[in-house]
Amino acid sequence: MRSLQRGAMRSVFWLLGLAALAVALALLVGRNPATLTLFWPPYRFDVSFNFVVFALMAAFVLLHLALRAIAVLRELPAQAQRWRGQQVERAVVGAVMDALSHQLSGRFVRAQSAAQHALDQLKSSAVTQWPRRDQLQLLAHLLLAESAQSLQNRERRDQHLQAALSPQLKKSAPEAYEGALLRAVRWAVEDRDVDAARNRLAELPQGAARRIQSLRLKLRIARLGGATAEALETARVLAKHRAFTPSVARSVVRGLALDALGQAHDLQQLQAVWHKLDGTERTMPELALAAAQRANQLAPAGGIAADSNDADRVAAAALVRVWLEPLWQGFASLDPVQQSQCVQALEPCLPQLDAAWLARVEQAQRQLPNNSFLQYLSGQACMQRQLWGKAAQLLGQASHSLQEPTLLRRTWCALAELALERGDEAAAQTAWKKAARIE
């Protein structure tokens, strides 16, 4: 509304100005007896003043038009050059767009032809200065390299990649240059060349190295190179930046943490890996169970139960108890597989269990009297304490409901030993046979 009012006021002022100009011309031209005398010895010219004014005005207009015409004529070569540059620019942009379209549709040979046509247009053009020329050149080289990578032509890929990563193009098109570096990192990962991928990733500016795409590539490089600690830290950063869905982030972090725990070569290294896990990761049942199982594997030869006085075995048992204590408090919420793993991880520590832990085991078995895993563990604990009657009762109950082959075989073996303790060789033979039949 205000713009319409302003336009109306502007029109009114223009009309008033034209009216004032018309009045001034009428007063000047209408009755003006003045004359202008020009002397050119021996001649004298008397000319009307109005005529002189109109002549000067006409001369000014003609001079202005002549100067404009000369300027237009002098500008023609530059205009022609600009027109040719625009034509080349349009042709190059069209070729790059065609190359991108063919690349996305999987027509890699056609994409190469279109990108090469764009480069040929740039080389044949006499116009070297027009907007986004270097950017289009870099994109054309990058599309050629991408198509060559898809066609497994690594020689041509590397040739155009080096052309795209030239210092001149880096200064004029920094964003496209960073994109070319990221593609180079990805191709190195696809070629499983860890060193080349790391070198290309190190060339990225600090800001670009913190982007999600760069972190994803860094994660792939770390996993490819076996750097589990680096991969785990990168996965945490990606999860913090919401690069994954919560379920995927949890799965990725859990898998990397499991790899890190599995790669520990001694108890000290295993404990160091565990301390590097954050609080959320330590509450994952899979990680606590994996750490406990790895500690049992890293115990000295003979197992934790072989010699309770051995310092390393005692230390391993202490670690297992600490890591499994949070899980034991929520034992009922674990699935059957995790319950079985928890019992198997805790079983080698039975000789080192103190009164508090034995009370926990007994209390859990009373709260879940029909749980076959707790029946088995309580029976083995009673057998360690030479409570033969109670051990036989619990293990006998477990033998009827256990489905896990390893635990069931150990149950029958324990029942066989208990039968020998009480001198029942027939029952012992039967138990040994049942243990041997379990696959």
Side-chain angles (χ1 to χ4, degrees), residues 120-137:
D120 294 340
Q121 290 283 340
L122 290 172
K123 292 179 181 179
S124 62
S125 173
V127 183
T128 58
Q129 297 296 330
W130 41 273
R132 300 184 180 276
R133 184 183 190 279
D134 292 339
Q135 186 178 12
L136 288 172
Q137 183 179 356

Side-chain angles (χ1 to χ4, degrees), residues 75-393:
E75 188 68 20
L76 282 178
Q79 282 189 345
Q81 188 176 10
R82 284 197 299 270
W83 181 83
R84 289 192 296 269
Q86 290 176 355
Q87 295 299 315
V88 173
E89 182 179 5
R90 291 173 183 173
V92 172
V93 170
V96 171
M97 292 180 65
D98 290 341
L100 180 59
S101 300
H102 292 315
Q103 176 68 33
L104 293 175
S105 63
R107 298 176 176 179
F108 305 119
V109 177
R110 294 188 180 183
Q112 282 186 337
S113 300
Q116 188 63 52
H117 178 68
L119 291 176
D120 294 340
Q121 290 283 340
L122 290 172
K123 292 179 181 179
S124 62
S125 173
V127 183
T128 58
Q129 297 296 330
W130 41 273
R132 300 184 180 276
R133 184 183 190 279
D134 292 339
Q135 186 178 12
L136 288 172
Q137 183 179 356
L138 192 152
L139 290 176
H141 281 298
L142 188 58
L143 286 170
L144 263 169
E146 181 73 28
S147 300
Q149 169 68 13
S150 301
L151 295 173
Q152 298 299 314
N153 189 345
R154 291 183 173 82
E155 181 179 357
R156 190 174 188 185
R157 178 203 68 186
D158 294 339
Q159 174 187 356
H160 288 283
L161 179 61
Q162 291 300 325
L165 297 178
S166 65
Q168 178 184 357
L169 299 180
K170 177 181 179 180
K171 295 179 180 179
S172 56
E175 292 83 4
Y177 181 85
E178 293 171 4
L181 279 177
L182 288 174
R183 301 305 291 179
V185 174
R186 179 181 173 184
W187 297 335
V189 172
E190 292 177 357
D191 294 342
R192 306 186 69 81
D193 191 345
V194 178
D195 294 334
R198 289 189 182 276
N199 293 334
R200 291 297 186 186
L201 194 63
E203 295 179 20
L204 283 171
Q206 186 175 5
R210 292 196 298 265
R211 296 172 189 164
I212 291 180
Q213 183 66 19
S214 303
L215 292 175
R216 287 179 182 272
L217 291 172
K218 184 179 180 180
L219 175 60
R220 294 181 61 183
I221 294 171
R223 299 189 69 176
L224 185 62
T228 307
E230 180 185 359
L232 181 58
E233 185 64 28
T234 306
R236 289 171 180 159
V237 176
L238 285 170
K240 181 179 179 181
H241 292 168
R242 298 182 180 179
F244 308 121
T245 61
S247 59
V248 173
R250 180 182 175 89
S251 176
V252 171
V253 171
R254 182 175 62 244
L256 292 172
L258 289 173
D259 292 341
L261 293 171
Q263 292 175 2
H265 300 295
D266 51 43
L267 292 177
Q268 290 75 16
Q269 187 177 3
L270 179 64
Q271 193 171 6
V273 173
W274 178 261
H275 286 316
K276 290 181 181 179
L277 302 178
D278 57 30
T280 304
E281 295 165 358
R282 293 177 188 175
T283 58
M284 294 182 181
E286 299 87 352
L287 297 185
L289 292 171
Q293 292 172 356
R294 187 59 179 166
N296 290 334
Q297 295 172 359
L298 294 176
I304 294 177
D307 186 359
S308 59
N309 296 322
D310 189 281
D312 291 336
R313 296 188 184 112
V314 173
L319 290 177
V320 172
R321 292 196 302 270
V322 171
W323 294 339
L324 292 184
E325 183 174 359
L327 257 66
W328 191 261
Q329 296 175 359
F331 186 85
S333 62
L334 301 177
D335 59 53
V337 175
Q338 292 174 345
Q339 290 181 357
S340 173
Q341 293 175 351
C342 184
V343 168
Q344 292 185 61
L346 193 59
E347 181 184 1
C349 305
L350 290 178
Q352 286 81 24
L353 289 184
D354 53 13
W357 256 103
L358 289 174
R360 291 193 189 103
V361 173
E362 185 177 1
Q363 182 181 5
Q365 197 277 324
R366 289 178 179 177
Q367 291 176 351
L368 300 173
N370 296 324
N371 189 291
S372 58
F373 301 114
L374 293 178
Q375 291 172 352
Y376 169 81
L377 186 63
S378 299
Q380 292 286 7
C382 292
M383 188 173 176
Q384 289 283 341
R385 270 68 185 174
Q386 297 182 356
L387 301 175
W388 313 122
K390 190 173 182 180
Q393 178 185 0

